[in-house]
Amino acid sequence: MADRISLKLQETFDPTRLEVVDESHLHAGHAGAPDGGQSHFHVVMRADAFDGLSRVAAHRRVNAALKEELAGPIHALSLDVAAR
């Protein structure tokens, strides 16, 4: 799943920095955390695509890019996104 997220974000935003961290192990056993992980992620991304956008607008763009994943396997996504 982390590779899938990385690929989609790379293709959509052409970031100068991109880190996708699987944090599922930190949430093991709580509601919404499936066995096997791959459900909780933290993304750090810097891209010109976010230049001039508010934090909320930038998050909305990322959520739109990952709409399919957020509807299914991803239970939680934390974001640290900004322009360069």
Side-chain angles (χ1 to χ4, degrees):
M1 184 55 59
D3 290 341
R4 183 173 167 178
I5 293 168
S6 292
L7 181 61
K8 275 199 166 179
L9 295 178
Q10 189 68 42
E11 290 175 347
T12 304
F13 298 104
D14 190 28
T16 57
R17 178 180 176 198
L18 177 61
E19 296 174 43
V20 178
V21 180
D22 184 352
E23 296 183 336
S24 301
H25 66 282
L26 300 173
H27 305 276
H30 93 258
D35 292 336
Q38 298 290 308
S39 60
H40 292 69
F41 293 90
H42 177 68
V43 172
V44 176
M45 182 168 44
R46 301 295 177 260
D48 289 339
F50 302 125
D51 189 35
L53 296 181
S54 70
R55 189 170 122 194
V56 171
H59 284 209
R60 285 182 178 150
R61 291 203 50 203
V62 172
N63 288 342
L66 297 175
K67 180 180 178 180
E68 184 178 315
E69 290 76 12
L70 290 168
I74 297 177
H75 175 71
L77 180 67
S78 64
L79 300 173
D80 175 359
V81 297
R84 288 187 195 198

